[in-house]
Amino acid sequence: MSTVVPWVWHGMLTAGFLVSVINVDASTLADEATKSETRTGDLRTLLTRDGIQVAEQHVVLPEPALANRSQDVSQESNLKELSGNIGWERFSRQNLNSPVIIRVDPLQNSDSQPVGLLVRQAYIAYARLDDLRKRDFMDSIFSSGANDSEGEIRELTLPERNKLGIVETETDEEMYFYVRLPLLRKVMVRGVLRVQRRDQDNGIEVYWQLDPRFTETVASETPDDQDATSGELKAETQMKNTWSPLSTNELGMLVEGSPVAYRGMAGYMSVWPTGLEENQLLVESRMALHEPVEWFGGTKYLRSKLLISLQEGAKQFRRSLR
């Protein structure tokens, strides 16, 4: 498993931090959507400057808090402001149960109807940054949880990339993955994940997006989408960005319904030393997620479950660093 996979998986599970939304008129939305979906350049620029489409909204993620340090601004002051009412001393203590800043907000369309979630998260962890770069260390953290009988993240093979028309040169900085992500055993998201890693001397950033180039209209009931023998989705259909309803059969196994085209999932995870104490790291993750009303009927079900998962995810990550 590549070292990139655990970072992306952790970022997807722990979701986002400090997401901002810019409302623009319909004509601008259409223009920006076209430009964003055809561009295959720097993901950091796309997510933090150009923005992506989440349903009817244009979403821009702010850059990591410590990515652009200024000599004119007190880093300690910035971090204490980040901790807010929690207080820096409590926020930064070296403990598995130290506070985690979490906020899950609804993303609404022009009719004030919920179309997605904006999630933010930040917490302090203690480790040597160089340790987080090690392949074996990173794989040991998440390899047991990233792939199971229901969920999966794996790197695309060369034949798969060729079939999809991915001609970019493969490097350590940009990679492509197939993702199968079950959400609360109710929804299955499948597709192609594009990932870029920025590994710097004093920080690590991993940006990811469900690549909109592989989102296309999928007929709600197309016999050719399923294998006639097994009834499972064909490999070429699995590689499309889709979501499917999940149900449980009499044996307790998950059964997927017909796939529906899906887009609107992106974010990043970053880890930067605070510079205030040795091996003290600020962990941030940010995500924008499109949540079709068909998923959970427009309720706050996913939001409520995320709050619990985010807390547990931070604790597990801290525990893995010990």
Side-chain angles (χ1 to χ4, degrees):
M1 183 191 303
S2 165
T3 56
V4 173
V5 175
W7 283 100
V8 174
W9 188 259
H10 181 66
M12 291 179 71
L13 291 181
T14 58
F17 178 81
L18 292 178
V19 181
S20 66
V21 179
I22 302 176
N23 293 310
V24 293
D25 61 44
S27 60
T28 303
L29 276 176
D31 293 340
E32 288 301 319
T34 301
K35 289 188 291 184
S36 294
E37 294 194 5
T38 56
R39 186 183 293 107
T40 58
D42 180 43
L43 269 182
R44 189 180 199 273
T45 299
L46 174 64
L47 299 185
T48 65
R49 297 183 187 179
D50 299 329
I52 63 168
Q53 291 305 122
V54 178
E56 300 175 12
Q57 296 298 317
H58 191 62
V59 180
V60 177
L61 284 66
E63 296 179 352
L66 300 184
N68 297 310
R69 304 187 182 202
S70 172
Q71 299 297 326
D72 301 327
V73 179
S74 168
Q75 201 60 47
E76 181 176 5
S77 176
N78 285 345
L79 288 167
K80 288 184 176 179
E81 182 178 354
L82 173 67
S83 64
N85 295 332
I86 296 174
W88 176 252
E89 182 177 354
R90 182 182 170 211
F91 180 65
S92 63
R93 67 184 180 182
Q94 193 168 351
N95 189 290
L96 287 178
N97 298 309
S98 292
V100 180
I101 294 175
I102 297 173
R103 183 167 179 176
V104 182
D105 291 323
L107 175 61
Q108 299 180 331
N109 61 17
S110 56
D111 295 325
S112 298
Q113 299 299 313
V115 294
L117 295 175
L118 306 177
V119 192
R120 68 179 188 180
Q121 181 192 53
Y123 58 91
I124 296 295
Y126 288 83
R128 294 179 65 251
L129 190 64
D130 286 344
D131 287 341
L132 298 183
R133 307 182 199 274
K134 297 179 180 178
R135 178 182 297 270
D136 293 343
F137 178 82
M138 291 300 298
D139 285 351
S140 68
I141 297 176
F142 298 107
S143 59
S144 62
N147 298 299
D148 54 35
S149 60
E150 298 173 356
E152 176 187 10
I153 292 184
R154 63 170 177 81
E155 188 176 355
L156 292 183
T157 64
L158 180 58
E160 287 172 334
R161 293 199 304 271
N162 290 338
K163 188 171 184 178
L164 291 172
I166 298 175
V167 296
E168 288 86 346
T169 302
E170 181 183 3
T171 67
D172 291 337
E173 289 74 34
E174 176 161 296
M175 305 180 75
Y176 290 83
F177 299 87
Y178 165 68
V179 58
R180 186 177 78 244
L181 180 65
L183 299 177
L184 305 177
R185 297 177 64 85
K186 297 292 185 181
V187 176
M188 180 71 78
V189 175
R190 295 177 180 270
V192 175
L193 201 68
R194 180 178 173 222
V195 179
Q196 288 181 354
R197 172 169 174 157
R198 296 168 58 94
D199 198 346
Q200 306 176 60
D201 290 340
N202 57 345
I204 302 172
E205 299 172 3
V206 176
Y207 293 80
W208 59 269
Q209 181 187 28
L210 197 65
D211 198 324
R213 288 177 294 171
F214 306 111
T215 299
E216 56 186 83
T217 301
V218 180
S220 58
E221 295 184 6
T222 304
D224 290 342
D225 282 335
Q226 294 184 328
D227 185 273
T229 302
S230 66
E232 295 182 354
L233 296 177
K234 291 183 178 180
E236 55 267 33
T237 301
Q238 292 183 13
M239 290 299 170
K240 297 176 183 178
N241 298 337
T242 65
W243 72 267
S244 304
L246 292 176
S247 59
T248 305
N249 63 17
E250 61 275 9
L251 299 177
M253 300 176 61
L254 291 180
V255 179
E256 289 190 52
S258 299
V260 179
Y262 178 74
R263 66 178 176 184
M265 178 189 291
Y268 67 82
M269 180 178 181
S270 69
V271 179
W272 288 83
T274 66
L276 302 182
E277 292 186 26
E278 185 177 6
N279 299 330
Q280 187 182 72
L281 307 174
L282 175 64
V283 182
E284 297 180 81
S285 56
R286 317 183 181 195
M287 184 173 72
L289 171 69
H290 175 40
E291 181 187 353
V293 68
E294 294 88 351
W295 283 13
F296 303 106
T299 68
K300 296 181 180 179
Y301 183 69
L302 178 59
R303 178 182 179 181
S304 64
K305 296 297 184 180
L306 269 175
L307 292 172
I308 299 174
S309 297
L310 296 175
Q311 290 284 357
E312 184 60 28
K315 182 183 295 186
Q316 290 180 0
F317 185 68
R318 285 168 170 158
R319 185 180 293 114
S320 70
L321 300 178
R322 291 190 163 185

